[in-house]
Each structure stands twice: as C-alpha cells, then as structure tokens.
Amino acid sequence: MGIISMIVVGFIVGLLARAIMPGDQKLGIIMTIILGIVGAVVAGYLGAALGFYQAGEGVGWIGSIVGAIIVLFIYGLIVKKK
C-alpha cells in the first residue's frame, strides 16, 4: 500500500508543480509521477541540510511541491541546452 500511496502523492505533487511553474512542460503521466517523487526526495535532503527536517522525517506537501519545482526548473535548463 505504501508504493501506491507514494505514486498517487507523487502524481498530485507533480501536477501541482507543473501548474505553478510557468511555461509548457511536455511531460507524460509517468514523468509527472517521477517529478513528484523526486521533488519530495530533493526537498527532504535540502530540508535536512538546512536544518528544517530531521533525518527520516517526512517533508509534507509544501516541501514536496517546492522540491518538484526545483527539479522541474533544472529539467527545463537541461532540455533547453539540447
């Protein structure tokens, strides 16, 4: 059940990050889910490095969305270079 909830939360976070980030992101449903999951992981590591979260603590919705926006921004920079 944990994997299914992670996929659903990743999808919702990815959709919200894509809605907030300006521009046209051509990502499918699988990439949107991956964006949300990776965003949560990035937010966890960044938050732990800055002292916002303890090791192993969940980051929450806002942190996950901010992390996904950071990942989406970096992804946009990489795609533009090609």
Side-chain angles (χ1 to χ4, degrees), residues 1-10 37:
M1 197 63 179
I3 293 174
I4 294 172
S5 63
M6 183 173 58
I7 290 171
V8 170
V9 170
I37 294 170

Side-chain angles (χ1 to χ4, degrees), residues 27-64:
L27 300 174
I29 190 168
I30 302 296
M31 287 302 291
T32 301
I33 292 169
I34 292 171
L35 169 69
I37 294 170
V38 171
V41 170
V42 166
Y45 282 120
L46 189 61
L50 295 175
F52 295 134
Y53 305 112
Q54 299 296 324
E57 185 180 0
V59 295
W61 287 93
I62 295 174
S64 297

Side-chain angles (χ1 to χ4, degrees), residues 11-30:
F11 180 66
I12 294 169
V13 167
L15 283 178
L16 289 172
R18 287 180 58 195
I20 293 171
M21 186 79 174
D24 182 32
Q25 300 90 22
K26 297 182 191 274
L27 300 174
I29 190 168
I30 302 296

